[in-house]
Amino acid sequence: MAALPSIYYPDFIAANQEERAGNLIPGDDEQAYLEHIRADIRKFKADNQLDPVVIFCIANTERYSDAIPDVNDTAENLLQAIKAPHSEVSLSSLFAIAAILEGEPFVNGDPKNTFVPGVVDQVAERHESLIGSDDLGQTTKGVAK
């Protein structure tokens, strides 16, 4: 099994990681990245006949995202910030949103603040999904309707 391509946001990851960043999704459009990740989730599920799958983020530690009103404070604002795009949408938040929109659990396996208010709002208000914190034993928030 080969690793799927991913995203590299230099602003969120230490500069010494740039030379190791390979196997990337081309471009710089956050909305296109989101759709690519969602398509990868669906294809992986179908190809391997799995339901559900758990998206486990073990990417490099990111700098903390700023929680910014009208950018990542609500689900709606975060989705608009992805479309805009806005520089304060982290790659881990993008993976979390992709998993949530696909109705799959997401585990944040590294210390970073993936779960900005807009990500938590996306789970709590919009979708039947679960998200977990970096200690892997604590569920941050989830809703089953």
Side-chain angles (χ1 to χ4, degrees):
M1 180 178 289
L4 296 173
S6 192
I7 306 164
Y8 175 66
Y9 286 178
D11 186 46
F12 279 91
I13 300 172
N16 67 352
Q17 299 299 309
E18 185 169 9
E19 66 187 45
R20 295 174 45 196
N23 194 25
L24 301 174
I25 299 169
D28 60 3
D29 181 327
E30 289 179 0
Q31 185 66 42
Y33 287 155
L34 177 64
E35 296 309 320
H36 188 111
I37 296 163
R38 292 182 69 189
D40 280 349
I41 292 169
R42 290 189 299 269
K43 183 175 182 338
F44 185 83
K45 279 180 67 172
D47 288 354
N48 295 283
Q49 300 176 355
L50 300 170
D51 188 27
V53 296
V54 176
I55 299 9
F56 193 101
C57 185
I58 55 169
N60 284 331
T61 301
E62 297 172 335
R63 71 163 174 82
Y64 272 55
S65 298
D66 293 326
I68 303 172
D70 300 323
V71 173
N72 55 14
D73 57 337
T74 68
E76 183 178 331
N77 288 342
L78 182 55
L79 291 174
Q80 287 302 317
I82 291 168
K83 287 180 186 175
H86 193 281
S87 62
E88 205 54 35
V89 177
S90 71
L91 65 96
S92 64
S93 290
L94 205 58
F95 273 91
I97 290 294
I100 293 164
L101 291 174
E102 292 301 317
E104 302 300 340
F106 178 88
V107 178
N108 183 26
D110 251 323
K112 53 186 158 270
N113 69 333
T114 300
F115 304 139
V116 293
V119 171
V120 175
D121 184 39
Q122 191 74 8
V123 173
E125 301 299 327
R126 316 273 168 121
H127 298 280
E128 298 176 6
S129 190
L130 296 172
I131 56 177
S133 68
D134 65 343
D135 69 7
L136 308 181
Q138 179 182 37
T139 300
T140 302
K141 195 165 192 176
V143 176
K145 295 181 182 179

